[in-house]
Structure formats: structure tokens, C-alpha cells
Amino acid sequence: MPATATDRVPNWNSGTDEPDHATRQAETRRFALVFVTFLTTVLPAEALDSSSTTPTHTDIAKVKFLTSGSAIVLSGFASPGDRGTGCMLVRGSPGGPNAVRDGSGVWWQAPAGRPMDVTCFGAKMDGKTDDTVAVQAAITAATISGAGGQVTIPGGNIRIGGVVLPSNIRLSGAGINATAVFAATSTVDVFSASDPSNVSNVAIEALSVYGAGGRRQAGGHYVLFRNCINCRVSDFLFSGAYVGAEVTGLNTVNVALERGRSDGAALYHFAVSGGADTFLRGLVTTAGTAEQAKCGVRLTQSGGTWISDSDITASGHGTCVQPGSDQTVKWTFVSNTALGDSGSGYGLFLNPTGTGAIYGFSASNAWTSANKKAGIATQCDNGGVIEALTLNAHRAVANTLEGMVFTCGNGIRIIAPTVVDNSNPDGGGASGRNSGIAFGPGVSHFTVAGGEFRALFGSKPFQAHAVRVMPGASDFYTIQGVDGFGGTTTGVTIQDGGTGMHKTVTNNW
């Protein structure tokens, strides 16, 4: 009997519906009845457990089948009625997926060309038993099954940790509201696709991951991609991670973290510390009920990162770009994203140290708002370098300190921003203490072109100035077309303390 529309759950990748696990069990039980007459006429009574009508996986070695038999449907894995009910075995070979030898010496295996269900490999999915061995066995079987490396974790709770994903594996849950993965320990890497050279074509999708015992993790990752090529995690919920997902490794190329949410991470929700061409799309971070993470998104080493359509909220710093010595973050492209909202630190914190460098950071239609410090800040420690920073139509609103403050950087271009309601007393700031945009002493080669700095959205003027160039040797800059009319507490739109001779400050009001 085919499954009805109400028996189906969405397949997150294909856009089609598939029967859920309970329906599959019911169908396979009906299918198993076809074999009951066959089995009971050819099997001696002592060959099966007294409670069995069809064998379990554990029973196979005790059973002798007719040579004409071509398939069997199991009544369970270890005992009748457990999560292995309904799994099928067909005649196979010693090297086949999930291969097992019966009492007459015949080999049986999981059908080739089908996804490997972890319950058919002994996963109890009771949320208490460590099912890592069963999941790893299903992954091993999928690599040789001809099924395109597909592994499924059906709906339910499963406890695992240290699962290693080789090349060409797609691991799918039944959806974030159906498949709940719990870390086996508080410091384990739950899933990793990692290799000293490279691993490729790995996907993890449609599941939720929680800390051990439902508590916040003290270490490890939920997903770790190291030297991974064409890898992704998508359609997920992370709760209570130490680090949600990290992309690292010199040989990493084309990795995507997409359509996911991370709640209550302890250190970082998402991190990029190696590789090139990394895509962060449709991500959401929150603190949940826990203390905010150190960073929502952290970049320390990358050769091309795209961040789009994401909402990085309630983290210490929303987005941290922090290359250390001998590290470079170059060519970062942000669009339609809250880089930091309602955080306890900066919204966007650009902070290279030592010989670390940030080259070519560009954001369009992004925003940083309601942070306890500035919306955007640059800070170069011990020689760190920032070059070519472009902010196009950025919105810095209602931050406690400045909307943007630049204490270092070369080649800063701010085009048509909306910078209002900063130095906001509602967040603990002091009206008139901080400005909309501030450039530190000696910062040079920057442009502010146009933009809205008036008191908007029903607020009072809080910002001391629209743009402030602090006293010092700043040179080679342009500030023009800034509209701060009625939006400052001092009545002075531009406070220009730069002493350089190569500057244009004009047409501001």
C-alpha cells in the first residue's frame, strides 16, 4: 500500500516528499508477511527466536535459507520490534554493504543503490545509547553501495560523536523538527570531514544537533570541515555548541554553511580559519538563554568568503575578522546581512594583530545595530594591517558608542550610509558623547560620500557630530554630501581635526 500524502515529510534537497520512518516500518511489516509462509515452511523452529516470525539481523547466522530465496525483511536488528524492523537484505557478497552470512554459508547484504538507514546497522535511536558505531557502519556501507553515498538518520533522538565522513557521502536527517542528534560527550567533534590532504563532496543536512545531555558544550565542534572540497551543511539547527561549524585547512575550497540557525554557542557560532571560496548563506545566530558567544562569525584565514542573507545577533561581537600573525583574510563580500545586532560588543570588529592582514572587505546593504559598543570598529594591534574596506549603503543604528569608529585602516570608502541614533542612552550610552562616524588621529585615505545622519525614526539627536576626524595628521580624505541637519547635539555636522593638506570637506549640512 503506498504512503498517503499525510504520511510524508519534506525531502530538504530534492523538493519532493518521502514516507516518514513510521510509515516505512508499517509498509515493510506488511511486506514481511509475504515472506512468513516461505520462512516458516523452510526454517526449523529452533533456528529462530521463539518470538520471531521473520529473522532479526542477529538471527541470520542461525538460519538456513533455501537457495532460491532472494530477499528477506527483518523483524528487527537485535530483537524483534526494535528500530531495525523492516530493513531488507538481499543475496550479496562478503564485501557488500552490511554483509552478513547465514547458517548455510550464504551472504546477505543491504540492497545496492539505496540509501543506508542507520537503524538497519543497529542504531537504537533512544537518545541514550551511543550509536556512533552503527552510524559509522552505515557510512562505510554507503561508500560501496552504489547509492551515491547516501546515509539517512530517520526521525527520533540519536546520541553520537566522532562520526567521520569520507568523500562522496550525503548524510540526511528527516528534518530539523524530526531528527535530533545529541553529542556523545561535552567536547567531541560530532561530525567531521577532515583529511591531511583533502576530502570532497560531503553534505550534512536536515537535522538538529544538541549538546551532551541537552547541555551547552565545553569544547569541540558540531561540524568540522578540514581540507574539504565541495562540502556543505544545510537546513540545520545547532543548540548549545562550543563551535557550531568551522571551515579550515589549506586545501579547503567551495564549502557552504547555509539555511541554518545556531542558538547559544559558547565560543563561536561559525568560524572560517582556512581555505578559499567559503559561502555563509541564510544563517541566524542567537544567544538563547545562555551567555553570548565570543563571536557570531569569526574569520581568521580565508581567500574569499561570501556572507549573505544572514542575521548575526546576540553575540559578544557579531562578526569578528581577526587574522593573527602570518594569517590573511582577503576578499570578503557581504550582502543583505546583519553583521551584528544586539551584541554585548562591536557589531563588526576588524582586528588584525602582528603580521595579520585584512584585504578587500566589502559590505553592501548590511547593518550593525543596538550593540553595546560601536556598530563597526577597526583596531590594528602590533602592526596589523587593514586595506581596502568598502561599506556601501550600510546602516549603523542605535549603538551605544559610535556608529563606526576607525582607529586604523587604509583605503576606507563609506558610500551613502545611514548612521543615526548612536551614542544611544537607551543602551547605556551618553547623549552627545560619541559621533556617528569617527576617524582616529592619523587615519588617512578615506572617503565618506553622502549619507543620512539626521535624527530619524522618532528619536532625539544623540550623536555629537555626524562625522568626526580626531585631531592629528590625517590626510588624503574626502567628506562630502553628508546630511546631518538637526541630527547632532552640538549643531556641528563635521568636526574636522585633521591637519593634512590633501583633503576635501565640502557640501555637508
Side-chain angles (χ1 to χ4, degrees), residues 28-415:
T28 49
R29 287 193 188 99
R30 289 193 291 269
F31 181 64
L33 294 176
V34 176
F35 295 95
V36 171
T37 302
F38 163 74
L39 289 170
T40 55
T41 57
V42 300
L43 300 178
E46 63 273 13
L48 292 175
D49 293 341
S50 59
S51 60
S52 298
T53 55
T54 58
T56 67
H57 193 279
T58 304
D59 288 328
I60 296 296
K62 300 183 290 185
V63 176
K64 294 183 179 181
F65 293 99
L66 287 178
T67 56
S68 59
S70 60
I72 54 175
V73 176
L74 302 179
S75 62
F77 187 87
S79 59
D82 66 19
R83 288 297 294 256
T85 301
C87 297
M88 179 182 287
L89 297 177
V90 298
R91 285 183 174 273
S93 63
N98 208 16
V100 59
R101 192 178 186 181
D102 70 18
S104 58
V106 175
W107 285 92
W108 300 83
Q109 68 176 53
R114 296 186 182 183
M116 298 292 126
D117 187 321
V118 299
T119 61
C120 297
F121 293 77
K124 292 185 177 181
M125 294 198 65
D126 57 10
K128 298 178 181 179
T129 304
D130 189 338
D131 285 327
T132 303
V133 171
V135 173
Q136 201 67 62
I139 291 169
T140 299
T143 63
I144 58 175
S145 72
Q150 296 184 64
V151 177
T152 62
I153 303 178
N157 299 337
I158 187 167
R159 179 172 173 257
I160 56 178
V163 173
V164 178
L165 301 165
S167 293
N168 304 312
I169 286 292
R170 175 182 163 194
L171 186 147
S172 304
I176 62 173
N177 295 319
T179 299
V181 175
F182 289 85
T185 70
S186 63
T187 58
V188 72
D189 290 334
V190 178
F191 299 106
S192 66
S194 175
D195 188 270
S197 178
N198 67 71
V199 59
S200 60
N201 304 319
V202 173
I204 303 167
E205 62 189 7
L207 45 74
S208 296
V209 187
Y210 299 88
R215 295 181 293 273
R216 200 180 201 187
Q217 293 291 90
H221 306 76
Y222 283 170
V223 174
L224 175 63
F225 290 134
R226 178 183 284 115
N227 294 322
C228 213
I229 300 172
N230 300 329
C231 300
R232 67 175 170 85
V233 56
S234 62
D235 305 303
F236 62 88
L237 169 65
F238 293 162
S239 180
Y242 186 71
V243 176
E246 182 165 3
V247 179
T248 190
L250 181 64
N251 297 324
T252 291
V253 180
N254 193 28
V255 171
L257 314 178
E258 56 189 5
R259 298 189 305 277
R261 175 176 174 142
S262 176
D263 296 338
L267 188 62
Y268 313 124
H269 292 278
F270 306 105
V272 179
S273 58
D277 298 342
T278 300
F279 300 87
L280 282 62
R281 298 184 287 234
L283 302 179
V284 176
T285 71
T286 71
T289 59
E291 182 181 350
Q292 293 187 0
K294 186 174 181 179
C295 296
V297 173
R298 188 174 192 243
L299 311 179
T300 54
Q301 175 71 47
S302 65
T305 303
W306 283 256
I307 305 173
S308 61
D309 304 308
S310 296
D311 193 4
I312 311 304
T313 68
S315 296
H317 304 310
T319 300
C320 306
V321 187
Q322 296 178 306
S325 289
D326 300 321
Q327 291 183 312
T328 303
V329 175
K330 57 183 178 181
W331 316 130
T332 304
F333 306 95
V334 179
S335 62
N336 306 320
T337 289
L339 288 167
D341 193 327
S342 303
S344 60
Y346 299 112
L348 169 62
F349 189 33
L350 302 158
N351 178 216
T353 61
T355 60
I358 300 170
Y359 297 137
F361 187 102
S362 175
S364 180
N365 294 315
W367 62 97
T368 48
S369 62
N371 296 288
K372 290 297 185 181
K373 294 186 177 180
I376 296 175
T378 66
Q379 179 178 311
C380 302
D381 293 330
N382 302 318
V385 172
I386 299 173
E387 293 183 352
L389 168 62
T390 301
L391 303 170
N392 185 30
H394 188 89
R395 294 175 293 285
V397 179
N399 297 286
T400 298
L401 303 181
E402 292 87 359
M404 309 178 191
V405 57
F406 303 97
T407 61
C408 62
N410 181 11
I412 299 171
R413 304 288 180 259
I414 305 170
I415 313 299

